[in-house]
Amino acid sequence: MSTEVLETLIHSQLPAAARGDRDAYGRIVAGCQSTVTSIALAIVRDVHASEDIAQEAFLSAWQNLRKLNNAASFLPWLRQITRNLARDHLRSQYRRAPPGGDVESLIASVADPHPGPAEQLGDARDHAIAAAVIDSLPEESREVLLLYYREGQSSRQVAGLLGLQDAAVRKRLSRARERVREELLQRLGEFAKSTAPGAGFSAAVLAMLMVGAPPAAAATAFGAGALGAVNGATKLGIGALGGAFAGIVGGLWGVWFGVRKLLRQPFDERERRGVMAYALFTSALTVSFSIGITLLARVPGWIPHLAASVGFAAGMVFACGWWFPRILARRRAHELAMDPVGAARRQRHERLLGRIGAAAGLVLASCGVALGLWMSGRMG
């Protein structure tokens, strides 16, 4: 997408997005995702982390979109949000190891024109090599070079996306070529193109607009599981099984999507085990409830169905409201120690999102239970 087309897209879609139109914002995300992920990757030198950061940047921009008065300021504003989040990420990785381990041996293995079987590179090795090459670049050249390869090697396009002059982009590219051997730049170019975000990235961002934070994700799972299962409970046979399946799929997606970043980048092994236990518990709760309430479709009366729903709600409130915050307590304390003002602001925001998500999940689930019981004739 050319810079002119992207600017037109932002100007046309931003007013609707500011009014809460997620589809309009999704089109903006699709247009800007390459720029945002490249900026994050240039700072953190890790593809998975860069995508997580880019998603957080788009979520943060969405939540503050009404504060933006000028559509022309959107892209510079989004770039700065991304850089701030990426630097926060680096500060939080206080035990961060060098990205590729033995950088010289990694570079040598790429430069070797006849690598042996043991040196054949998989995805993890390619990522490590790319991180090593990025580290060797001048800091000012990293964003430019990654975006240059992802945008069809057009310096003019990169200049427009980063708010630079074309001459400045060309100068930074020249400096990068002076610092890094050509074969390594070619490998970095292939890596940049192969890891560019696709349609799935913007779909994940749109999902995050509904989820927000891990506790809210679990609450959303609660709503999805309850509504899907109780809907299925109003029918018999295949219809009920289909409703249970929809509830299970929706619930499990919400749980695991919400904790994926914490499992990829745990604070320590203790936190990783705790998050995994939390995810397994809420998954089991969602599956049990979806199947159980479907099996109750043939049971007369409404008390068993209400009891099952209340039990499920109590389990989710315990997991999201009490257990999960304690799993993250050491991470939160460390973040506050590293950045008292910024971390406190982010944590307040996360708590607010969690409460909103939990309330929305409880309301949706309660409505689903009541509707299902009424439609089945149990509360006539």
Side-chain angles (χ1 to χ4, degrees):
M1 183 181 296
S2 69
T3 309
E4 294 78 9
V5 172
L6 178 58
E7 289 174 352
T8 301
L9 172 69
I10 292 173
H11 277 79
S12 64
Q13 300 298 317
L14 202 59
R19 294 193 298 269
D21 187 333
R22 291 184 177 85
D23 291 334
Y25 191 65
R27 288 186 278 274
I28 294 174
V29 170
C32 298
Q33 63 186 24
S34 183
T35 303
V36 173
T37 54
S38 295
I39 290 171
L41 180 58
I43 296 173
V44 301
R45 285 93 89 191
D46 179 273
V47 173
H48 295 307
S50 70
E51 292 185 350
D52 287 340
I53 289 164
Q55 289 176 359
E56 289 183 37
F58 282 117
L59 178 61
S60 177
W62 165 260
Q63 291 164 346
N64 295 282
L65 207 52
R66 292 186 180 181
K67 300 177 183 178
L68 191 68
N69 297 320
N70 184 4
S73 302
F74 176 78
L75 194 53
W77 177 57
L78 182 61
R79 290 195 300 258
Q80 193 56 47
I81 290 173
T82 306
R83 292 181 183 118
N84 290 342
L85 288 171
R87 290 173 186 132
D88 286 345
H89 171 84
L90 285 188
R91 282 194 290 269
S92 71
Q93 301 299 302
Y94 67 103
R95 293 179 301 176
R96 183 176 179 269
D102 186 349
V103 174
E104 290 303 320
S105 65
L106 286 170
I107 292 177
S109 69
V110 180
D112 183 1
H114 304 292
E119 287 75 41
Q120 298 298 320
L121 303 177
D123 287 345
R125 189 96 173 196
D126 282 339
H127 286 209
I129 291 164
V133 175
I134 293 169
D135 273 343
S136 69
L137 292 168
E139 186 172 350
E140 65 175 15
S141 300
R142 293 170 182 171
E143 294 178 1
V144 165
L145 196 66
L146 288 168
L147 201 52
Y148 175 73
Y149 286 116
R150 286 184 173 179
E151 293 294 327
Q153 301 186 38
S154 167
S155 60
R156 182 181 176 189
Q157 175 75 358
V158 173
L161 292 172
L162 294 180
L164 300 170
Q165 296 295 322
D166 187 35
V169 169
R170 291 178 180 277
K171 182 176 180 180
R172 294 183 187 187
L173 290 172
S174 177
R175 286 193 62 197
R177 294 188 182 101
E178 291 172 0
R179 291 283 294 272
V180 181
R181 296 193 298 274
E182 186 62 32
E183 64 268 27
L184 295 182
L185 284 179
Q186 290 176 1
R187 174 56 67 93
L188 181 63
E190 294 168 3
F191 170 84
K193 287 185 287 187
S194 68
T195 57
F201 177 88
S202 52
V205 172
L206 289 178
M208 284 186 68
L209 302 186
M210 297 294 294
V211 175
T220 302
F222 172 27
L227 288 170
V230 176
N231 228 9
T234 63
K235 303 175 183 178
L236 298 177
I238 295 175
L241 292 175
F245 179 75
I248 291 170
V249 170
L252 293 181
W253 180 90
V255 170
W256 292 97
F257 183 86
V259 301
R260 77 199 191 289
K261 181 179 177 182
L262 295 171
L263 291 175
R264 284 180 186 169
Q265 300 170 347
F267 181 75
D268 53 23
E269 182 60 23
R270 178 180 167 189
E271 182 186 87
R272 190 193 68 79
R273 290 197 301 268
V275 172
M276 180 63 74
Y278 160 84
L280 291 173
F281 173 80
T282 49
S283 296
L285 200 60
T286 299
V287 171
S288 300
F289 175 70
S290 298
I291 293 175
I293 205 165
T294 302
L295 295 177
L296 288 175
R298 297 177 182 272
V299 177
W302 56 272
I303 294 178
H305 306 79
L306 182 62
S309 301
V310 170
F312 178 59
M316 280 296 187
V317 169
F318 159 76
C320 301
W322 185 86
W323 186 17
F324 193 77
R326 280 158 179 77
I327 294 172
L328 301 183
R330 282 166 298 107
R331 174 191 290 267
R332 300 309 188 212
H334 174 73
E335 290 173 350
L336 285 170
M338 296 292 291
D339 181 14
V341 177
R345 183 177 64 251
R346 288 192 300 275
Q347 289 178 24
R348 285 195 301 271
H349 187 63
E350 287 177 3
R351 286 194 294 271
L352 176 61
L353 286 175
R355 289 166 185 160
I356 292 173
L362 287 168
V363 170
L364 288 171
S366 301
C367 291
V369 171
L371 181 62
L373 293 175
W374 177 75
M375 291 178 65
S376 64
R378 300 173 197 277
M379 295 181 67

